[in-house]
Amino acid sequence: MLNKRLPQDLAGWLMLVSDAEIPILRQTVRRLDKARQQVERVNGRDITDIVLQDPLLAVRVVAFIQSVGSKHLRSDITNIASAVMMLGVEPFFRTFEKPLAIESMLSQQPQALLGMLQVVLRAQRASRYAHEWAFARHDMNVEEVALAALLHDLAEILLWCFAPELAMEIRSLLHADRNLRSASVQQQVLGFPLADLQLALCEVWHLPALLTTLMDDGNGQLPRVQNVKLAVNLARHSVDGWTDAAIPDDFAAIEKLLHISRETLLARLQLPPELLPGLMSGPAAGRSASPNRLA
C-alpha cells in the first residue's frame, strides 16, 4: 500500500497525503464495528469518545465536515462532538464504513508501526493534558483545545504511515545527536519541516481557522495556544519516563499558565509517589530533543 516513489518537495507531499485514504487505528476499526452492531443504542457521545482516541480518524471527521454544509456552518464546527451531531449517528457510520487500518499498511514494517503508535500515544496523552488544563483555566471551549493537542503532531503520524523509512531516518539522526533541532533534521531529510506540511494540510482540508490557530506554535503568545503547546511538550518529554532534562522547564511554564504550585501540578498529574521527591525540587534545565520526537 505504501507509495515507493516519494515526492521531493512540499507540494508533492501535500498532493500525496491529501489525495490518499487516511488509515485509522485497528482498535478504532474494532470499536466502530462493535458500535455499528448496536447502532440503536449508540449516541453521539459514544461516537465522539471513539473518535477522540484516534487522531487519524479525528482529522478525517473534521475534514469531511468541511466538505459538506454551508461555509458559515462549517466554521462553527471546531470539535468532534459538534461534527458528529451535525452528521447524525447512522450517517456517520455510512460515511466511515470499512476504513483502512494502519496496522494493515505497516504489517511488513513492525518497527515503523511501533514508531507510529508511539506518536499516537503521545498525541492521546497531550490531548488529555490539554483538556484538563483548559478545564482548569475555564476555557470557553475545552474540546477545541483538546482536539488541537490531539492533532498537533498529525504530520508526523502521517509520515510514519506513508514514508516510514524517512520517519525512521529522522528518528535515527535525532538519536545520534541530541543537540540537533528536529526541524533542521526534517529539512535535511524531507526538504521542509513537518510543521509546514501540517499547516498546508490544514489549508487543503479547509480545517477551521480557529483549530489551525491553536495548532500553530507561531501563535504562542495566545494562552490557548500555550495550553496546547505545553501539553504537547510534556507528553513528548514524558513518554519514556520522567527523567527528560526538559521536564523541569515544562513544569515551570505549566505552573505559570495555570497559576498553581509545583505540588498542585504533580498532584494533578497523579504520578507514582516514588517520583515526587525528585520532581518537586528538580532544577530547571535546558531543553533537549527527545529521541522519539520528529516534529
Side-chain angles (χ1 to χ4, degrees):
M1 295 295 296
L2 296 177
N3 190 330
K4 296 303 182 182
R5 300 186 62 181
L6 296 173
Q8 300 301 309
D9 56 20
L10 178 59
W13 277 99
L14 186 60
M15 182 178 298
L16 169 66
V17 176
S18 60
D19 288 347
E21 178 185 359
I22 303 299
I24 67 175
L25 299 174
R26 181 169 56 198
Q27 181 183 21
T28 306
V29 175
R30 291 172 175 168
R31 293 183 68 188
L32 288 175
D33 286 343
K34 183 177 180 181
R36 187 180 288 108
Q37 292 167 13
Q38 47 188 4
V39 64
E40 69 282 352
R41 299 199 300 273
V42 171
N43 58 38
R45 184 71 255 178
D46 298 326
I47 296 176
T48 298
D49 290 342
I50 295 174
V51 175
L52 286 176
Q53 290 302 308
D54 188 336
L56 293 162
L57 180 56
V59 78
R60 286 186 60 174
V61 171
V62 178
F64 177 78
I65 285 297
Q66 304 313 304
S67 68
V68 299
S70 68
K71 182 177 180 180
H72 174 72
L73 182 59
R74 293 197 305 266
S75 67
D76 291 337
I77 306 298
T78 55
N79 60 65
I80 297 301
S82 298
V84 173
M85 182 182 299
M86 177 180 170
L87 273 176
V89 172
E90 293 190 13
F92 175 90
F93 285 122
R94 289 196 299 270
T95 301
F96 300 100
E97 191 173 10
K98 297 181 180 179
L100 173 64
I102 182 59
E103 286 83 354
S104 297
M105 283 183 65
L106 298 178
S107 60
Q108 303 302 312
Q109 297 176 283
Q111 289 303 311
L113 178 59
L114 178 60
M116 186 280 302
L117 291 174
Q118 288 175 335
V119 185
V120 170
L121 177 64
R122 268 181 17 214
Q124 293 170 336
R125 180 179 290 192
S127 182
R128 186 172 68 253
Y129 289 156
H131 188 282
E132 293 173 358
W133 302 344
F135 182 81
R137 293 180 53 251
H138 306 289
D139 192 278
M140 58 184 176
N141 192 321
V142 172
E143 302 297 336
E144 288 174 352
V145 176
L147 179 59
L150 184 71
L151 299 181
H152 186 278
D153 289 339
L154 178 68
E156 182 178 346
I157 298 173
L158 293 172
L159 184 66
W160 283 103
C161 293
F162 295 107
E165 296 88 354
L166 296 183
M168 287 188 284
E169 181 181 350
I170 293 172
R171 185 177 63 178
S172 295
L173 290 170
L174 292 173
H175 266 291
D177 187 349
R178 301 297 182 87
N179 294 317
L180 290 174
R181 299 282 299 178
S182 297
S184 298
V185 176
Q186 293 158 11
Q187 181 76 41
Q188 173 186 335
V189 174
L190 301 173
F192 55 87
L194 282 171
D196 288 358
L197 177 59
Q198 177 100 0
L199 294 177
L201 285 169
C202 289
E203 184 174 348
V204 167
W205 286 330
H206 305 292
L207 299 194
L210 175 60
L211 192 57
T212 302
T213 296
L214 290 175
M215 287 189 285
D216 185 355
D217 295 344
N219 299 309
Q221 75 281 4
L222 304 174
R224 302 183 86 206
V225 177
Q226 293 175 28
N227 191 333
V228 171
K229 179 58 176 172
L230 291 175
V232 169
N233 284 347
L234 186 61
R236 179 180 291 132
H237 296 147
S238 65
V239 72
D240 291 323
W242 292 87
T243 58
D244 191 290
I247 287 179
D249 285 349
D250 292 339
F251 282 173
I254 296 163
E255 291 156 16
K256 181 178 179 180
L257 177 69
L258 301 182
H259 305 290
I260 59 176
S261 66
R262 177 67 54 89
E263 183 178 12
T264 300
L265 175 59
L266 294 180
R268 290 184 180 180
L269 290 173
Q270 298 181 326
L271 302 180
E274 60 270 19
L275 295 179
L276 299 183
L279 294 175
M280 274 295 297
S281 56
R287 294 191 183 278
S288 62
S290 295
N292 62 8
R293 178 189 176 188
L294 301 194

